[in-house]
Every structure is written in C-alpha cells, then in structure tokens.
Amino acid sequence: HFRLVLAYGEASFGKVHPETLGSLYNLAAVLEAMGQVDEAEELFRRELAGCVQLLGRGHATVGASVHNLVRFLENQGKWQEAWDIEKQFQEVAAVTRVPLCPRV
C-alpha cells in the first residue's frame, strides 16, 4: 500500500514534493519496522535530500528529517555516520536557530 502511495505521489507531484516526501518517510518507517533496513535507509536518505532540496538546510522539517535518519543509523549501530550527519546539520541549526527535533 505505501509503495503504491509513493509511486502515485512521484508520478502526480514529482519526487520533491511535500506529499511525496511524506510518503517516503512513511514507507521508510514501515520497512524499518519490518526489518528491511537497507531499503529503509535508502528512503530515509532520499527523504532528507528531498527536504533539503525543497526547503533549504535551515528549515525545521529538515531538522526533523535529520533526526529521523540519525535515529535510524544509531539503531543500526552506525554511530560514527549518525554523529557525522548530526554534527553537519547542527552547524546549520546553530546558524539558522532551527533546532534538530523529532518529526511531529
């Protein structure tokens, strides 16, 4: 079901649209819960990249996307990579005064 929603969103709105990015996140979360972590990671990364492209690095939604990817990587034991991504975006958060926060 989530794959169909994502495919529809990409076809209807494009790959970098809020609806499509929301579908990417939802599918990534479902795949993570199902243990399909390789595909989930790819989708979390695509969602973050799309948010950055659409909204800019200093937007609060980007902070939420960073949080989601960092949490995922930590859960996979990829501590250094998670730390590197968080550090990279915390520098942006410090300049823009937009905190990294969980998706609401």
Side-chain angles (χ1 to χ4, degrees):
H1 175 71
F2 284 108
R3 290 180 198 280
L4 292 174
V5 171
L6 176 59
Y8 176 78
E10 288 178 337
S12 299
F13 306 118
K15 292 185 181 219
V16 183
H17 183 278
E19 292 294 327
T20 305
L21 296 172
S23 295
L24 272 172
Y25 169 79
N26 290 335
L27 180 54
V30 167
L31 291 170
E32 179 185 15
M34 293 172 51
Q36 297 178 22
V37 295
D38 291 338
E39 189 175 0
E41 181 175 345
E42 177 189 338
L43 296 181
F44 279 123
R45 289 180 184 280
R46 280 180 52 198
E47 193 253 349
L48 173 57
C51 285
V52 169
Q53 183 179 346
L54 179 66
L55 303 168
R57 293 174 58 89
H59 195 277
T61 298
V62 173
S65 295
V66 169
H67 172 84
N68 293 330
L69 178 57
V70 166
R71 177 206 47 82
F72 172 83
L73 292 170
E74 289 174 346
N75 287 344
Q76 301 308 309
K78 297 180 178 182
W79 303 103
Q80 185 63 49
E81 191 172 358
W83 187 82
D84 290 343
I85 290 169
E86 189 170 41
K87 184 175 190 284
Q88 175 188 4
F89 279 90
Q90 281 196 352
E91 291 169 359
V92 172
V95 170
T96 60
R97 299 189 185 277
V98 176
L100 297 181
C101 60
R103 181 177 295 277
V104 177

